[in-house]
Amino acid sequence: EINKEEWENSSDIISLKAQISGCLKCPLGNTRTNFVFGVGNPDADVMFIGEAPGADEDEQGEPFVGRAGQLLNKILQAIEWKREEVFIANILKCRPPNNRDPLSSEVEQCEPYLLKQIDLIKPVMMISLGRIAAQTLLRTKDSLTAMRSRVHNYHGVPLYVTFHPAALLRNPNWKPAAWEDFKKIKSDYENIPNRKRKH
Ligand code: URA
């Protein structure tokens, strides 16, 4: 059953998507196949934030649909969260050529879209995937290890930092540490008093 708030959130998020999907504010607008807005529940408690779309995401217009996305889906299953219940997005909505790191000029143009998504969705927790996404959001050069060691604050929302699933595919020896991160994330989530639902 869908309540009034969820209904309004979904129409607002659909309007935002329609408004920004033709963006040409940075040069990536000219090289993309698809604008990758993000996917999931417009009233999600939890937002996952990656760096930028890769080739599969650019092709399909949805974040985390390639091999890294399949591993993210397995992680979500392992902590008994549904992909449709959370919201998944990237800092950059368009793919950088050859998957190079985002330029600060691109982040400057694109991050306001993420902030609007946060305004509408009102997540109680955010999880950034990978070193680059976290360094970009937090404006730091700290190591992934340092950033994983504590909870951050991104525009008023608790931000957790963990490995990028693509990094876990390259380094399976990091999976136990990632699993510890996700167990803590799930348990902290369940202790948030103002969460909207009981995942
Ligand atoms: N890597 C990311 O950071 N985001 C995606 O959407 C896919 C791969």
Side-chain angles (χ1 to χ4, degrees), residues 6-21 37-43 47 87 113-114 116-122:
E6 286 173 343
W7 178 261
E8 289 178 354
N9 274 345
S10 63
S11 55
D12 286 351
I13 207 98
I14 291 165
S15 310
L16 175 64
K17 182 175 180 176
Q19 272 173 39
I20 69 178
S21 289
F37 177 78
V39 70
N41 182 352
D43 196 39
M47 284 181 78
F87 197 91
Y113 296 149
L114 176 62
K116 282 193 182 154
Q117 291 176 312
I118 293 166
D119 260 2
L120 295 176
I121 296 167
K122 298 181 170 60

Side-chain angles (χ1 to χ4, degrees), residues 7 22 32 34 48 60 63 99 133 140 153 168 176-178 195:
W7 178 261
R32 70 172 178 243
N34 281 295
F48 285 85
Q60 298 181 45
N99 303 333
T140 177
N153 180 310
L168 298 176
R195 70 190 199 274

Side-chain angles (χ1 to χ4, degrees), residues 36 50-54 57 62-65 68 90 129 164:
V36 181
E51 174 184 332
E57 291 75 24
E62 181 172 330
F64 288 98
V65 291
N90 286 303
L129 301 171
H164 197 289

Side-chain angles (χ1 to χ4, degrees), residues 19-30 32 35 94 105-113 116:
Q19 272 173 39
I20 69 178
S21 289
C23 182
L24 291 171
K25 286 204 276 182
C26 87
L28 301 182
N30 298 309
R32 70 172 178 243
F35 184 93
C94 299
S105 55
E106 293 159 355
V107 173
E108 205 176 295
Q109 298 296 327
C110 211
E111 193 177 21
Y113 296 149
K116 282 193 182 154

